[in-house]
Amino acid sequence: MTEHHGGPSAKKLEEGRLLKELEAIHRTRHETLLHGSDEALVTHTKRMNELEHEYVRRHPQRAQTAARTRSGARARSGE
């Protein structure tokens, strides 16, 4: 598998650009999973992880919705 560089380092992106990159990669994820080559999927996954980790690093206290937690999901399903 050849090495592919998927854009500028997430750490170097200004906030607005980081958010745009995240939106774009999430928008293309399903299509890449279904129809991309193995190499494309690996590259996409690496870039998505890099961007997501950078976002979480910058926003450790980000707002979390109770329904998006494990206990919130259990409450919805009646467990």
Side-chain angles (χ1 to χ4, degrees), residues 1-70:
M1 195 176 325
T2 60
E3 180 74 14
H4 176 75
H5 299 285
S9 168
K11 290 182 179 186
K12 293 181 180 180
L13 296 174
E14 60 91 10
E15 189 69 13
R17 176 81 189 275
L18 176 62
L19 291 173
K20 286 189 181 300
E21 292 272 338
L22 280 165
E23 289 170 7
I25 205 152
H26 287 130
R27 200 171 41 250
T28 60
R29 181 62 180 178
H30 190 70
E31 192 71 18
T32 303
L33 175 64
L34 295 179
H35 305 293
S37 66
D38 290 345
E39 183 177 353
L41 185 58
V42 167
T43 300
H44 199 276
T45 301
K46 286 179 182 177
R47 181 62 172 170
M48 185 175 64
N49 287 337
E50 178 190 12
L51 293 167
E52 288 178 349
H53 285 111
E54 180 59 19
Y55 181 84
V56 171
R57 185 188 71 77
R58 291 183 191 185
H59 302 280
Q61 302 300 319
R62 69 195 187 285
Q64 297 177 17
T65 305
R68 300 294 301 173
T69 64
R70 189 172 293 186

